[in-house]
């Protein structure tokens, strides 16, 4: 048991966190909680800027929040306080690695302004965002994958 503690299973200094949509939201959480990552790359990250998303889009699951509040008047503050525990914007404020974000301007699942909220909050100075003007939640698809590979080569 002692040997396992002295030899971690992962080496953060050789680790990159990647993910899209919900995985992008988790990527932000990892990037905010794990120090010394090489880089992170959240694509069209979900779970960002809940206060804005809940009034901006009627796609689920954000719509579920509105439906709940429709029948639970006066609970909006409690709901927003609870959602803040896993809002990507708050994790982004702790980010300590270079980051490549992506946003799609016609995305109704992860509205671009919520992605930009996380991007703008990302604490590390070395950050970039790829924007796909005419795309929905698929984001940049293979174009973003290629951009990520090119970008990550500079950190290998």
């Amino acid at each position: 048991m002692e040997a396992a503690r002295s030899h971690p299973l992962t080496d953060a200094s050789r680790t990159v966190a990647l993910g899209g949509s919900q995985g992008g939201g988790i990527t932000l959480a990892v990037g905010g909680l794990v120090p010394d990552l090489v880089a992170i790359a959240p694509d069209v990250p979900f779970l960002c800027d809940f206060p804005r998303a809940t009034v901006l889009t009627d796609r689920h699951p954000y719509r579920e929040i509105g439906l709940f509040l429709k029948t639970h008047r006066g609970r909006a503050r409690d709901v927003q306080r609870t959602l803040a525990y896993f809002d990507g914007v708050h994790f982004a404020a702790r980010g300590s690695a270079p980051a490549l974000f992506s946003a799609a301007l016609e995305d109704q699942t992860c509205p671009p302004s919520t992605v930009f909220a996380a991007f703008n909050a990302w604490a590390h100075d070395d950050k970039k965002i790829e924007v796909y003007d005419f795309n929905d939640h698929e984001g940049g698809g293979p174009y973003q994958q290629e951009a990520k590979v090119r970008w990550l080569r500079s950190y290998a």
Side-chain angles (χ1 to χ4, degrees), residues 4-155:
R5 288 190 192 133
S6 63
H7 300 290
L9 298 175
T10 61
D11 178 357
S13 69
R14 295 176 40 173
T15 302
V16 175
L18 309 168
S21 190
Q22 185 171 355
I26 293 169
T27 296
L28 288 172
V30 170
L33 296 172
V34 177
D36 304 323
L37 292 173
V38 172
I40 71 151
D43 292 327
V44 293
F46 185 50
L47 307 175
C48 297
D49 198 359
F50 280 104
R52 179 153 176 76
T54 56
V55 297
L56 195 59
T57 183
D58 63 354
R59 284 207 188 156
H60 286 281
Y62 294 119
R63 182 70 189 130
E64 293 175 45
I65 297 165
L67 292 172
F68 175 83
L69 291 173
K70 191 181 221 181
T71 59
H72 296 83
R73 298 283 180 197
R75 299 287 310 276
R77 190 172 181 191
D78 295 335
V79 167
Q80 295 300 340
R81 187 173 45 246
T82 300
L83 293 173
Y85 282 103
F86 52 94
D87 191 320
V89 172
H90 300 295
F91 289 111
R94 299 171 49 104
S96 60
L100 175 64
F101 285 69
S102 72
L105 297 187
E106 294 186 14
D107 190 344
Q108 293 298 306
T109 303
C110 299
S113 61
T114 67
V115 175
F116 275 94
F119 173 77
N120 291 332
W122 189 254
H124 197 278
D125 290 335
D126 186 358
K127 61 185 177 181
K128 180 179 177 186
I129 188 164
E130 296 286 337
V131 178
Y132 297 94
D133 297 355
F134 301 102
N135 294 76
D136 192 357
H137 195 54
E138 79 282 2
Y143 297 99
Q144 179 60 15
Q145 297 305 320
E146 182 182 349
K148 237 184 325 198
V149 168
R150 278 193 321 270
W151 179 77
L152 284 169
R153 282 188 182 133
S154 66
Y155 296 97

